[in-house]
Amino acid sequence: MSAGCTQPASNHLVHVRFSYSPPPIRRSCTVNSFTATIARSDRLAADVTAHPELFRILTGERPTGALHLGHYFGTVAERVRLHQHGVDTFVILADYQVITDRDSIGQVREHVHSAVLDYVAAGLDPDHATIFTHSAIPALNQLMLPLLSLVTEAELHRNPTVKAEHAASERALSGLLLTYPVHQAADILSCAANLVPVGKDNLPHVELTRLLARRFNDRYGPVFPEPQALLTASPEVPGLDGRKMSKSYGNAIALSMTADETAALIRRAPTDSERRISFDPDQRPGVSALLTTAALCTGRDEHDIADEIGDAGASALKRFTTDAVNERFAEHRRRRGELARDAGFASRVLREGNRRANEIAEHTLDQVRHAMGTVY
């Protein structure tokens, strides 16, 4: 529930921010509740480790641009880890959801194909993982209709994503944005996913999905498993200027960049006039963003890197960060380049993924029709 605070996240199932803080009288209850959630997630993680074959995950993102380091460290690496451990992995490229908060769908086909190359280069095996697009799964989208009958308008307005967008926007919410949480629930339930890897801020989306599954099962009979949230530690990956990493800000290192393009982008990154390097995100956002990027790519601590560079200045920090990124993603780029030379590769992956996803979604919808008595 990929990756802005006030709009649907580009990582389809990550990075949605809470816009509500409970009053003090409820805080201890909230803390206790989250503690219980962590404990459940820890037990679940142990079960996944012991029996990965029992689980199917649904994750993905809105294809609004090229995947970048924020996507990789925030969600992609964890998807690959679960997939390679043996968990049945479904990844949705939610092209319909690109227009939840936009007037145009943009270069969505290019972005979808680019994401497929990055997924496979990162380690997803398309022969065993199912990579598919929203618009190619009619049964998934049809499933929204009965699910919408199970949720109230007030419940939709309380969703953190909807609330944040409503507060930030000067125009009325679109129907698609208002029903965005139900669309996400349909994504999960259509493929019978029983596990959703999320950061803590996206728990409300999984809880709504569980609620809709329970309401349908109570009203019509057992059809849907209630998916469980697997809490993941998604690091905050700042852009090169200290703001959120975003293509629209020009501060994102795309996974598809070459080593030279990466070096040129990092050279232009804003820093400050202080020569000694230190990690201070509030006072030195540009320098600190470079340190965080280097730390993620090397597995080291930002303060240790800062101490190593010392008084060598911003130019030395930029060289260090450039080398760290280029070394960390050299193999990814090599594999991606090989895949890209086959012009039809991404299309073949999507055709097979869409076929698998359609087959499962049609089966789910058939179960729903039988439960509702709408088989004619």
Side-chain angles (χ1 to χ4, degrees):
M1 293 183 174
S2 125
C5 314
T6 59
Q7 64 182 27
S10 59
N11 285 22
H12 178 59
L13 298 175
V14 292
H15 301 310
V16 180
R17 307 295 185 206
F18 282 115
S19 58
Y20 170 73
S21 296
I25 194 170
R26 297 290 303 280
R27 186 168 298 280
S28 60
C29 177
T30 302
V31 170
N32 289 338
S33 176
F34 185 61
T35 300
T37 299
I38 293 174
R40 285 196 301 271
S41 181
D42 288 344
R43 292 192 296 270
L44 182 60
D47 291 341
V48 172
T49 298
H51 297 288
E53 73 281 359
L54 299 180
F55 295 93
R56 173 180 291 166
I57 64 169
L58 184 282
T59 183
E61 47 244 325
R62 298 191 307 158
T64 57
L67 297 188
H68 50 61
L69 265 61
H71 295 114
Y72 182 85
F73 289 111
T75 57
V76 173
E78 177 65 7
R79 294 171 195 166
V80 171
R81 185 189 72 79
L82 290 169
H83 167 66
Q84 294 182 343
H85 187 61
V87 175
D88 191 11
T89 302
F90 278 62
V91 180
I92 185 170
L93 288 160
D95 50 355
Y96 273 167
Q97 289 181 6
V98 169
I99 51 175
T100 51
D101 61 341
R102 299 176 179 226
D103 295 327
S104 170
I105 203 163
Q107 297 174 295
V108 68
R109 188 173 187 274
E110 175 186 329
H111 297 154
V112 165
H113 282 192
S114 177
V116 170
L117 295 178
D118 280 320
Y119 290 152
V120 178
L124 288 182
D125 180 353
D127 291 333
H128 297 95
T130 302
I131 304 171
F132 66 104
T133 54
H134 226 160
S135 59
I137 317 299
L140 183 164
N141 297 292
Q142 189 173 343
L143 185 60
M144 276 194 69
L145 293 176
L147 294 182
L148 282 170
S149 75
L150 302 171
V151 66
T152 68
E153 181 184 359
E155 287 172 323
L156 291 174
H157 278 289
R158 286 198 294 269
N159 177 270
T161 301
V162 175
K163 285 183 68 175
E165 180 66 16
H166 196 192
S169 178
E170 296 180 355
R171 59 183 182 180
L173 295 176
S174 71
L176 184 57
L177 181 54
L178 182 62
T179 58
Y180 177 74
V182 181
H183 218 164
Q184 288 193 326
D187 298 342
I188 298 166
L189 297 176
S190 69
C191 66
N194 58 4
L195 187 67
V196 185
V198 292
K200 66 178 182 179
D201 292 346
N202 204 51
L203 285 172
H205 286 277
V206 181
E207 287 306 312
L208 179 61
T209 303
R210 291 171 56 83
L211 177 64
L212 292 176
R214 285 196 300 273
R215 286 178 178 174
F216 185 94
N217 294 343
D218 290 345
R219 183 175 299 184
Y220 298 110
V223 170
F224 298 117
E226 291 185 32
Q228 300 184 75
L230 179 65
L231 286 173
T232 60
S234 300
E236 292 290 336
V237 185
L240 293 177
D241 55 3
R243 293 184 293 175
K244 172 179 176 282
M245 186 170 283
S246 170
K247 183 181 179 182
S248 62
Y249 294 154
N251 65 359
I253 302 174
L255 298 178
S256 56
M257 281 183 173
T258 65
D260 288 343
E261 288 170 339
T262 299
L265 184 65
I266 291 175
R267 277 197 300 271
R268 297 195 300 270
T271 51
D272 55 45
S273 59
E274 186 175 342
R275 186 160 185 82
R276 182 158 187 86
I277 300 302
S278 62
F279 184 66
D280 186 346
D282 292 330
Q283 300 301 317
R284 308 185 72 185
V287 168
S288 298
L290 289 169
L291 286 167
T292 295
T293 299
L296 286 168
C297 290
T298 60
R300 296 178 59 187
D301 179 79
E302 289 98 335
H303 296 281
D304 289 343
I305 296 172
D307 289 343
E308 178 179 323
I309 296 173
D311 293 324
S315 60
L317 171 60
K318 290 180 178 182
R319 287 194 299 272
F320 186 98
T321 303
T322 297
D323 290 343
V325 174
N326 286 339
E327 289 174 15
R328 175 65 177 77
F329 289 97
E331 179 61 16
H332 179 99
R333 289 164 170 170
R334 184 193 66 76
R335 295 187 62 200
R336 193 185 194 283
E338 289 181 352
L339 297 171
R341 283 193 283 275
D342 180 352
F345 176 78
S347 293
R348 292 197 302 275
V349 170
L350 290 169
R351 277 197 299 272
E352 177 58 20
N354 289 339
R355 184 196 65 77
R356 293 181 198 161
N358 259 312
E359 184 177 301
I360 293 172
E362 283 286 357
H363 176 70
T364 300
L365 185 59
D366 187 59
Q367 290 180 301
V368 167
R369 289 172 175 149
H370 277 85
M372 296 179 71
T374 56
V375 178
Y376 305 104

